[in-house]
């Protein structure tokens, strides 16, 4: 998608940081509700494109289809994906019509084009959000800055969870021989004849195991509990009143957090992935070590010597940490100055936002995993993006919102 001709305005009415599925969902919903906002908002993403990180992640892990069903997508018309897939039904996977990766990406490209959003992403990374009077000064990676009246943070950024034993490694080792899953791109790896240890029991572990095996590696999957099989990240009851009613009725936010943790309950694979993994175990390509953890490891110069909690010792060429991410607003660099200017309560890394997902005291809105206390366990998912829009859009489109032309903010 071309970004030629896009200029950084001096003043912006609404700045959206990030151009992933959450930002795209917000923008289409805003335009539907408030068409005049076109021309008054700006989206920033270093890629200069919509959906770049999403596409990169799916391609890097060779993921054939989404985990979420066809109703979850960035278009305000909830049937948009089904309609788009009318002539492509083979790209909806059982159970519950999970969209194929290409189908979903094509739908998003169609949404971007139908809503005339192709040239709306400015290729800059925001490096600072500096509160100034009632506005924000946004600073960019190229040294420029601009003033924004309202900001929506939709960066999807989270901290990588790295097990303690990684910090205890005494010897130097090549970074690509031990890395977090987010750093892996299966497309560029030669793995024939290698032994790979994958740590963690989520769906990413499954994709990585299947991908490595398809490249003729032998895989060892180590999970600190038993392999869990679940259709979705969290039960569908979390998308509606069945569970959300009780969730919102709970005023003790520590208890809300416990409900979120219980609902997501660590990583899990889909039943289809579970079946694929068991087949690879039968074929001799995969070992699954449940209730087991790494105790100690040593880099021997060409491979790893790994001591496990069950007393076994193994050698591996590579170790991949499929140990997930953690949302912690207190360590998000972009929010440092916002915190200083507008201190708000934080419950174990999650900010206490108002019902519009707004940071108390200022016009900063937060989407994604950071909004979990107000959205529930699916905040980071596509369904969470829709729920976030239902809260943010009325605040931005409300009568007191006086639209000001770009370059003309008072
Ligand atoms: C492999 C994988 C598969 C998933 N599959 C599903 C699924 O099937 N269904 C589902 O519901 N959920 C799924 N998820 C969870 C979730 O929907 C995705 O993580 C989704 O990409 C989150 O969207 P997002 O817009 O919040 O973040 P992202 O997709 O990460 O987009 C955020 C964008 O912000 C940009 N950005 C970051 N920092 C800055 C900055 N400082 N300045 C400007 N721009 C910035 C990034 O470049 C990025 O493009 C999956 C997650 C992963 C990792």
């Amino acid at each position: 998608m071309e970004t030629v001709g896009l200029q950084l305005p001096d003043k912006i009415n609404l700045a959206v940081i990030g151009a992933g599925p959450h930002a795209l969902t917000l923008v289409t919903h805003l335009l539907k509700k408030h068409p005049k906002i076109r021309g008054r908002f700006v989206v920033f993403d270093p890629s200069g494109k919509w959906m770049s990180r999403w596409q990169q992640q799916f391609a890097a892990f060779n993921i054939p289809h989404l985990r979420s069903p066809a109703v979850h997508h960035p278009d305000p018309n909830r049937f948009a994906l089904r309609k788009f897939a009318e002539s492509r039904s083979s790209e909806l996977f059982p159970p519950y019509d999970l969209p194929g990766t290409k189908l979903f990406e094509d739908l998003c490209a169609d949404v971007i084009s139908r809503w005339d959003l192709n040239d709306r992403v400015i290729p800059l990374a925001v490096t600072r959000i500096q509160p100034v009077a009632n506005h924000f000064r946004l600073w960019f990676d190229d040294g420029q800055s601009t003033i924004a009246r309202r900001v929506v943070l939709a960066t999807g950024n989270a901290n990588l969870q790295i097990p303690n034993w990684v910090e205890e490694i005494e010897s130097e080792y090549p970074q690509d021989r031990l890395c977090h899953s987010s750093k892996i791109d299966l497309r560029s790896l030669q793995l024939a004849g290698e032994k790979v240890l994958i740590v963690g029991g989520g769906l990413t572990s499954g994709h990585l195991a299947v991908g490595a095996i398809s490249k003729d590696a032998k895989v060892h999957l180590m999970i600190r509990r038993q392999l869990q099989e679940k259709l979705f990240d969290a039960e569908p009851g979390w998308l509606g009143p069945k569970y959300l009613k009780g969730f919102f009725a709970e005023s003790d936010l520590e208890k809300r957090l416990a409900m979120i943790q219980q609902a997501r309950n660590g990583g899990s694979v889909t039943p289809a992935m579970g079946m694929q993994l068991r087949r690879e175990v039968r074929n001799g390509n995969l070992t699954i070590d449940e209730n087991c953890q790494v105790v100690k490891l040593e880099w021997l110069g060409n491979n790893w010597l790994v001591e496990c909690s069950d007393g076994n010792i193994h050698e591996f060429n590579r170790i991949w940490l499929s140990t997930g991410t953690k949302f912690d607003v207190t360590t998000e660099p972009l929010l440092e100055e916002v915190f200083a200017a507008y201190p708000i309560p934080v419950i174990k890394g999650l900010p206490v936002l108002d019902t519009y997902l707004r940071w108390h005291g200022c016009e900063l809105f937060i989407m994604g995993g950071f909004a979990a206390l107000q959205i529930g366990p699916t905040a980071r998912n596509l369904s969470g993006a829709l729920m976030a829009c239902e809260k943010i859009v009325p605040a931005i489109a409300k009568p007191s919102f006086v639209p000001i032309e770009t370059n003309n903010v008072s």
Side-chain angles (χ1 to χ4, degrees):
M1 271 156 255
E2 288 295 314
T3 53
V4 177
L6 270 187
Q7 281 191 340
L8 181 65
D10 298 339
K11 289 171 180 174
I12 302 165
N13 213 306
L14 174 65
V16 181
I17 309 180
H22 279 245
L24 184 57
T25 308
L26 175 79
V27 166
T28 58
H29 284 74
L30 261 179
L31 285 171
K32 183 172 180 224
K33 179 93 183 162
H34 189 61
K36 287 189 181 159
I37 202 144
R38 183 178 290 283
R40 293 173 189 132
F41 73 89
V42 175
V43 182
F44 297 101
D45 195 298
S47 67
K49 296 191 297 185
W50 291 101
M51 302 294 292
S52 62
R53 194 190 275 165
W54 172 282
Q55 287 176 5
Q56 200 279 334
Q57 281 168 336
F58 272 70
F61 298 167
N62 195 20
I63 303 178
H65 61 73
L66 276 68
R67 188 174 195 172
S68 51
V71 284
H72 304 308
H73 55 73
D75 196 281
N77 174 1
R78 69 194 305 259
F79 302 106
L81 201 154
R82 287 209 169 276
K83 189 163 186 318
F84 189 76
E86 265 169 9
S87 58
R88 298 171 65 170
S89 56
S90 64
E91 292 176 66
L92 291 172
F93 292 77
Y96 304 115
D97 290 343
L98 311 178
T101 302
K102 176 83 170 63
L103 176 73
F104 187 80
E105 286 178 11
D106 289 350
L107 179 269
C108 290
D110 183 62
V111 170
I112 293 161
S113 146
R114 268 191 293 110
W115 290 91
D116 195 14
L117 294 168
N118 259 315
D119 58 352
R120 301 307 300 248
V121 184
I122 296 190
L124 289 172
V126 176
T127 52
R128 264 177 85 188
I129 303 176
Q130 179 189 14
V132 282
N134 288 330
H135 299 348
F136 302 94
R137 180 168 288 281
L138 301 182
W139 293 86
F140 301 94
D141 50 350
D142 66 351
Q144 296 188 78
S145 74
T146 188
I147 292 286
R149 183 177 169 209
R150 292 178 182 210
V151 173
V152 178
L153 189 74
T155 55
N157 290 340
N159 297 339
L160 307 183
Q161 300 214 87
I162 307 289
N164 292 339
W165 42 262
V166 173
E167 271 136 48
E168 286 156 19
I169 303 169
E170 284 164 7
S171 45
E172 291 283 310
Y173 59 89
Q175 295 303 304
D176 65 328
R177 295 309 184 98
L178 169 65
C179 56
H180 189 269
S181 57
S182 60
K183 306 275 188 284
I184 295 165
D185 191 332
L186 286 169
R187 293 170 294 180
S188 59
L189 291 176
Q190 308 285 334
L191 299 172
E194 289 201 12
K195 287 170 77 178
V196 182
L197 170 65
I198 301 177
V199 179
L203 188 56
T204 297
S205 293
H207 289 307
L208 289 176
V210 170
I213 290 166
S214 75
K215 290 183 165 247
D216 298 323
K218 298 281 184 208
V219 174
H220 197 113
L221 189 57
M222 193 174 289
I223 310 170
R224 64 180 164 187
R225 51 185 195 166
Q226 287 199 309
L227 185 69
Q228 314 278 319
E229 289 190 19
K230 279 196 312 192
L231 273 175
F232 306 114
D233 284 332
E235 274 187 55
W238 282 104
L239 302 177
K242 184 172 174 195
Y243 294 143
L244 284 177
K245 199 166 167 228
F247 180 77
F248 292 127
E250 179 56 71
S251 55
D252 181 337
L253 296 179
E254 298 262 359
K255 287 192 183 151
R256 271 200 202 179
L257 182 66
M259 289 162 102
I260 294 169
Q261 283 163 344
Q262 203 183 4
R264 291 191 76 91
N265 191 20
S268 63
V269 299
T270 57
M273 177 58 81
M275 215 157 70
Q276 225 175 329
L277 294 179
R278 282 191 292 279
R279 193 183 314 132
E280 296 299 354
V281 171
R282 285 196 299 277
N283 292 342
N285 295 321
L286 175 68
T287 306
I288 304 181
D289 245 347
E290 296 176 308
N291 304 311
C292 188
Q293 295 191 59
V294 171
V295 175
K296 197 171 171 214
L297 79 166
E298 190 184 344
W299 177 246
L300 299 178
N302 208 22
N303 49 359
W304 291 103
L305 190 69
V306 179
E307 207 181 302
C308 307
S309 55
D310 60 6
N312 287 326
I313 294 180
H314 303 277
E315 286 195 25
F316 298 104
N317 300 96
R318 291 171 195 271
I319 302 177
W320 292 343
L321 306 171
S322 187
T323 39
T325 54
K326 186 174 186 307
F327 288 91
D328 184 351
V329 83
T330 61
T331 58
E332 169 54 60
L334 282 182
L335 293 172
E336 210 177 301
E337 291 169 74
V338 178
F339 247 122
Y342 305 102
I344 60 167
V346 174
I347 313 286
K348 295 211 173 82
L350 295 181
V352 180
L353 304 169
D354 75 8
T355 50
Y356 300 109
L357 304 188
R358 184 169 36 196
W359 194 279
H360 287 273
C362 63
E363 292 294 301
L364 172 71
F365 298 82
I366 312 262
M367 303 186 79
F370 287 138
L373 287 177
Q374 286 74 30
I375 298 282
T378 67
R380 70 181 74 173
N381 296 100
L382 297 175
S383 53
L386 176 62
M387 290 195 263
C389 286
E390 283 164 359
K391 292 174 185 287
I392 296 176
V393 169
I396 290 180
K398 71 180 193 273
S400 65
F401 173 63
V402 184
I404 310 167
E405 293 302 332
T406 299
N407 281 329
N408 194 25
V409 174
S410 55

